[in-house]
Amino acid sequence: MSEIIKLKIGLASCGIAAGGEAVFEALKKATALPIDQVGCIGHCYAEPLVEACLADGSSVMYSNVKADEKSIQDILSLGGENRFEVPAARKAKELLKVLALAGRIVPTDLADYTANGGYEGLKKALSLSPEEVINEIKLSGLRGRGGGGFPTGMKWSFLAAKPGFDKTVICNADEGDPGAFMDRSLMESVPHQVLEGMLIAAYATGASRLVIYCRAEYPLAIKHLKIAIDQIYEAKLNVFGNRSIEISIKEGAGAFVCGEETALIASLEGQRGMPRFRPPFPTDRGYQDKPTMINNVETFGNIPVILREGGNAFASTGSEGGRGTKLFALAGDLQYPGLVEVPMGTTLNEIVFEIGGADRSHVKAVQTGGPSGGCIPVELFDTPVDYDSLRSLGAIMGSGGMIVIGKDRCMVETARYFLDFTHRESCGKCTFCRIGTTRMFEILERIVAGKGCEADLDLLEDLGKKIKAGSLCGLGQTAPNPVLATLRFYRNEYLEHVNEHKCRAMQCNALVDVVLDKSKCVKCKLCLKTCPLNAISSDFVIDPALCTRCNSCLDSCPKKAIIRAAKGDK
Amino acid sequence: MKKEYEFLRSIPNDPGNLIKGLQLLQSSCGYISVDGIRAAAEYFGRPEADVEGVVSFYAQFKRVKPGRYQISVCDGTACHLKGAPLIHEWLHQELGLKPGETAEDGVFSLETVACLGCCSLAPVMSVNGKVHGKLDRKTMMKILKEYAAK
Ligand SMILES: Cc1cc2nc3c(=O)[nH]c(=O)nc-3n(C[C@H](O)[C@H](O)[C@H](O)COP(=O)(O)O)c2cc1C
Ligand code: SF4
Ligand code: SF4
Ligand code: SF4
Ligand code: FES
């Protein structure tokens, strides 16, 4: 076998959280080989990941690497421990286009990016007229990846139609869905690709200002983007003939509603991020009252690919309901959580089971679109994932968060969780959204506390419909979705909560007791020592009045003698 | 403007920069005090009530002084599913804190945040920005002890 010439270590947020930095330090100490700090290849479950690049051009990957002598020496000697192969099922289904360079190049190295085809899309665009560029985008069939799915080419043509160059293009990097990390990963791993897409947009639409509105919770993404912007200025990539494009980053301050276009603009202007009535649309009057267009991070990430391939070639991937590929942030109850990229129209079965390695007998549903979306039961997993198919099920594609929900999770509690989120994030402008979501949340709290009644379910549906109709922006219009979808597919779970005061998943604390099965107990007293509230008596009985159902004793018992059981059951 | 807030001058004072100014204020002082609001209002030329309105709108801004170690428990979808409520319960048992509170000795403060982008390691919490993943009660207690001893 040939020798190692270079090492790469994944140091995006996920790699760092898994302990990648310590591994990096240990590698540095152990070898003089060059070590590239790269982004995320999407296999977050396998972090920290190290890739050994060999002289013959091939490479060997190592997963779950520890910072100890043994693991490090194993890599340096190309040993067999911790070797990592992309699972075959995933390799077969995945199509890496937008993510092709993520985790393979150094995010903050412009030369590395250009050596791998970077900025060829921009070069190609500059050889065309702005109209021709927009035409390629139209041919590609690209639709916005931020959730709405609006045709990108058409959006660009609206802004291009405005006279002059005093216009702004904004990259929406607010990534508000609290279970999604596609945009973070793109910005951390291939910041230049996102910026290249934005520069192409500036050229095609005649905008002179590019602004990235990024979540403040993403410090690494912001750092990488800032470095990349400096490099762009230095290489004068932002200069088109006599036009020079200004690029800036603004940090959000933690409000979900600021992902909405008009709220985002208000926030950029230093105001409370409250949506306003449209029209005027941002393309007519947006940031600083000038024509403005907003696209999502992943949308921009697709643009260089389209320019390189050509619109028609791009459109050959995907399905009727959506062209190209889509990134999904897979998380929850599955074996291989991480970031995946598949052609539009791939089925949920393929994504969840084949790629995600979830256990077929254990999965109940999947939630797409986060707090604006809905759940899709496992029985419908042959649904192709594209904008239109998901909408027909009352879910949405959203930006790409995909949470796998196991059989041991309560759907009522899941709905309560989402409403807890949306009712707090409502900006308060519309009565239906502000008060309606609060009432829905209260009803759900009542139900999980075992104090609901059957009429509550009708009330939820009624409120849900009215909130959708009576809200100004997408937040209110979609906030009831998680409740309406669970009511549609899992009404029986709601009925059990209200009629029988039972939570079949044993999750809702008010309906559950933690009980000790004396027949299994060997009196080792570990649980007694563990319980922080001394709720377990010396004769091994748990006092339900003292116990907060914190589960600590469950994990401590070597005999699994302590379980959660329906309240009242013995 | 009070001397201690002179650092605001590092950003241009147009009213649109208010949020940036508040972020700077918070990162320098740890939180946003009444005096801080007054200084920002004066510098950016906006009414105090207006500034107060912006501060209260955004979850990022804190009005009370945080502890030495800021524990941020992720309650994003993946972490919630994987047991964020239990983590809150354990922290409550251990430190007597609810989200938004700071311990009297000023060592820990607790807050809930949405997705830290490490869902594959759920459940996750961060302490002063350092992310700790795959938490169970044991690892959480160990982490608390380490910080408390520092
Ligand atoms: C409440 C709310 C939150 C949103 N959050 C985001 C977000 O975090 N990221 C995003 O790109 N789009 C978000 N959107 C959608 C944007 O308003 C907008 O449609 C999108 O950024 C347009 O870009 P695209 O056409 O490239 O998808 C949100 C919309 C609403 C109503
Ligand atoms: S729907 Fe809700 S979030 Fe949107 S503008 Fe109305 S109150 Fe605000
Ligand atoms: S669940 Fe928690 S409070 Fe209840 S007995 Fe067990 S350790 Fe004690
Ligand atoms: S830990 Fe388990 S086996 Fe030991 S005393 Fe408690 S219930 Fe019995
Ligand atoms: S949900 Fe906790 S890190 Fe994403």
Side-chain angles (χ1 to χ4, degrees):
Chain A
M1 192 182 289
S2 73
E3 57 177 328
I4 305 178
I5 50 166
K6 182 160 86 172
L7 295 166
K8 292 182 185 177
I9 177 159
L11 284 180
S13 295
C14 44
I16 293 175
E21 279 173 328
V23 175
F24 178 53
E25 291 304 320
L27 280 171
K28 266 203 299 203
K29 256 187 224 140
T31 173
L33 286 166
I35 309 171
D36 280 356
Q37 304 177 51
V38 296
C40 166
I41 59 162
H43 294 262
C44 307
Y45 57 89
E47 301 272 14
L49 270 161
V50 175
E51 181 177 356
C53 306
L54 309 184
D56 64 4
S58 66
S59 72
V60 186
M61 305 263 278
Y62 292 86
S63 62
N64 303 99
V65 178
K66 293 194 184 62
D68 57 31
E69 184 69 28
K70 193 160 147 276
S71 311
I72 301 291
Q73 285 312 323
D74 183 58
I75 296 176
L76 295 176
S77 59
L78 291 174
E81 226 183 306
N82 300 330
R83 276 222 188 185
F84 175 76
E85 296 280 346
V86 174
R90 174 156 173 180
K91 216 176 200 164
K93 295 287 170 199
E94 204 168 30
L95 180 62
L96 296 176
K97 286 188 153 193
V98 177
L99 289 178
L101 296 180
R104 328 241 170 230
I105 59 167
V106 179
T108 50
D109 184 349
L110 176 58
D112 207 0
Y113 181 59
T114 43
N116 287 283
Y119 289 104
E120 265 168 34
L122 178 63
K123 210 194 275 167
K124 175 83 186 296
L126 294 176
S127 73
L128 304 171
S129 72
E131 296 74 36
E132 285 169 332
V133 174
I134 293 181
N135 198 42
E136 286 302 317
I137 307 294
K138 282 187 177 161
L139 284 176
S140 75
L142 178 68
R143 291 167 67 174
R145 301 295 195 238
F150 193 82
T152 307
M154 208 192 295
K155 208 182 221 182
W156 286 25
S157 65
F158 294 155
L159 187 69
K162 301 285 158 198
F165 294 110
D166 196 0
K167 309 184 237 186
T168 306
V169 166
I170 297 173
C171 174
N172 189 344
D174 198 38
E175 193 149 73
D177 170 357
F181 50 88
M182 304 77 49
D183 295 348
R184 170 187 65 75
S185 204
L186 268 181
M187 293 184 288
E188 286 179 357
S189 305
V190 282
H192 273 294
Q193 188 175 333
V194 178
L195 289 161
E196 183 182 357
M198 294 180 70
L199 285 167
I200 295 170
Y203 173 72
T205 61
S208 302
R209 267 180 311 271
L210 296 173
V211 182
I212 302 164
Y213 183 83
C214 187
R215 276 185 81 177
E217 288 91 338
Y218 289 171
L220 190 63
I222 292 170
K223 183 174 148 200
H224 285 183
L225 285 167
K226 280 189 173 153
I227 296 174
I229 292 170
D230 287 345
Q231 291 167 342
I232 287 174
Y233 275 109
E234 200 169 307
K236 296 210 164 34
L237 289 164
N238 63 326
V239 180
F240 313 146
N242 55 3
R243 263 179 6 97
S244 162
I245 312 297
E246 178 196 317
I247 314 172
S248 60
I249 301 188
K250 287 239 184 177
E251 287 178 37
F256 175 57
V257 70
C258 287
E260 196 277 342
E261 301 196 349
T262 57
L264 189 156
I265 292 170
S267 178
L268 279 180
E269 292 171 347
Q271 307 290 346
R272 288 162 71 93
M274 314 246 296
R276 64 157 172 79
F277 188 75
R278 294 182 294 183
F281 288 95
T283 34
D284 293 313
R285 188 165 0 125
Y287 182 49
Q288 295 173 338
D289 291 337
K290 300 289 168 18
T292 301
M293 180 188 81
I294 300 175
N295 274 139
N296 162 265
V297 174
E298 189 186 331
T299 311
F300 284 121
N302 271 283
I303 303 292
V305 180
I306 295 174
L307 266 292
R308 276 201 306 264
E309 292 188 344
N312 281 322
F314 183 91
S316 65
T317 311
S319 67
E320 262 322 294
R323 295 288 164 200
T325 58
K326 179 79 194 85
L327 312 193
F328 290 101
L330 263 181
D333 295 314
L334 78 171
Q335 198 181 354
Y336 301 129
L339 190 67
V340 302
E341 177 174 7
V342 289
M344 287 268 187
T346 304
T347 66
L348 284 168
N349 268 323
E350 290 168 308
I351 300 177
V352 174
F353 297 123
E354 295 182 34
I355 296 178
D359 173 0
R360 216 169 262 274
S361 61
H362 182 66
V363 171
K364 176 144 76 177
V366 73
Q367 174 86 15
T368 63
S372 312
C375 62
I376 299 166
V378 67
E379 295 77 26
L380 299 175
F381 273 18
D382 52 1
T383 307
V385 182
D386 59 45
Y387 297 96
D388 305 331
S389 311
L390 291 186
R391 193 159 292 154
S392 70
L393 291 175
I396 58 165
M397 170 102 102
S399 52
M402 195 175 272
I403 308 282
V404 180
I405 302 174
K407 288 226 163 86
D408 53 351
R409 316 283 177 193
C410 171
M411 297 311 281
V412 186
E413 156 56 28
T414 308
R416 186 206 65 85
Y417 163 76
F418 284 118
L419 261 288
D420 183 18
F421 179 81
T422 33
H423 97 277
R424 281 185 284 119
E425 293 294 335
S426 166
C427 84
K429 188 170 197 154
C430 321
T431 317
F432 276 90
C433 173
R434 180 184 70 242
I435 301 178
T437 54
T438 305
R439 289 294 99 84
M440 282 184 91
F441 172 67
E442 287 167 358
I443 295 169
L444 290 162
E445 285 262 279
R446 190 151 85 210
I447 295 176
V448 298
K451 294 182 180 140
C453 61
E454 218 174 311
D456 279 343
L457 310 192
D458 300 330
L459 194 53
L460 281 174
E461 268 166 339
D462 186 46
L463 267 169
K465 281 190 202 125
K466 287 181 176 147
I467 294 168
K468 282 170 84 105
S471 293
L472 173 64
C473 86
L475 191 151
Q477 287 161 8
T478 59
N481 285 354
V483 183
L484 298 178
T486 43
L487 271 169
R488 174 171 166 194
F489 294 119
Y490 298 98
R491 204 179 182 89
N492 53 350
E493 288 193 28
Y494 280 87
L495 287 169
E496 283 166 13
H497 279 73
V498 296
N499 291 335
E500 301 164 42
H501 303 290
K502 244 175 74 182
C503 171
R504 64 166 79 180
M506 301 296 169
Q507 213 188 336
C508 296
N509 280 343
L511 308 179
V512 166
D513 278 335
V514 173
V515 290
L516 193 157
D517 181 351
K518 283 194 185 169
S519 68
K520 285 193 190 150
C521 170
V522 294
K523 304 196 163 48
C524 73
K525 295 198 174 169
L526 279 173
C527 56
L528 270 79
K529 284 184 204 129
T530 305
C531 178
L533 299 162
N534 299 323
I536 309 176
S537 69
S538 51
D539 55 347
F540 306 102
V541 179
I542 299 176
D543 181 348
L546 287 177
C547 169
T548 59
R549 283 88 179 147
C550 79
N551 277 16
S552 303
C553 54
L554 270 75
D555 300 330
S556 72
C557 175
K559 293 284 158 197
K560 304 235 168 303
I562 307 180
I563 53 162
R564 291 170 76 92
K567 212 177 186 77
D569 276 8
K570 274 292 147 226
Chain B
M1 191 158 64
K2 283 197 183 165
K3 250 219 163 71
E4 63 209 86
Y5 297 112
E6 288 287 330
F7 58 79
L8 281 175
R9 296 195 196 281
S10 65
I11 22 186
N13 70 344
D14 83 79
N17 275 341
L18 174 63
I19 293 175
K20 206 169 170 192
L22 291 169
Q23 281 165 339
L24 183 63
L25 207 71
Q26 176 150 305
S27 65
S28 310
C29 310
Y31 74 115
I32 293 176
S33 61
V34 176
D35 279 350
I37 288 190
R38 213 161 276 158
E42 190 185 323
Y43 181 67
F44 292 102
R46 293 180 49 171
E48 272 176 42
D50 205 18
V51 176
E52 184 97 47
V54 170
V55 170
S56 67
F57 186 86
Y58 294 98
Q60 188 192 13
F61 297 126
K62 298 187 185 63
R63 292 303 308 277
V64 286
K65 201 172 163 118
R68 193 145 39 98
Y69 298 111
Q70 171 75 52
I71 306 176
S72 310
V73 179
C74 175
D75 199 22
T77 316
C79 290
H80 185 82
L81 218 59
K82 292 260 182 182
L86 290 175
I87 299 193
H88 272 297
E89 177 60 35
W90 299 332
L91 284 168
H92 182 66
Q93 288 170 351
E94 222 24 60
L95 306 172
L97 294 179
K98 288 212 183 78
E101 292 178 352
T102 299
E104 269 174 31
D105 60 7
V107 178
F108 289 110
S109 46
L110 181 62
E111 67 174 357
T112 309
V113 290
C115 193
L116 294 168
C118 308
C119 312
S120 51
L121 301 172
V124 164
M125 73 180 190
S126 74
V127 183
N128 285 4
K130 181 169 170 22
V131 176
H132 302 271
K134 294 192 179 159
L135 294 176
D136 54 25
R137 191 163 200 280
K138 250 204 203 120
T139 48
M140 195 207 72
M141 299 294 280
K142 206 174 125 223
I143 293 164
L144 283 188
K145 277 209 187 89
E146 279 170 17
Y147 281 103
K150 268 192 205 174

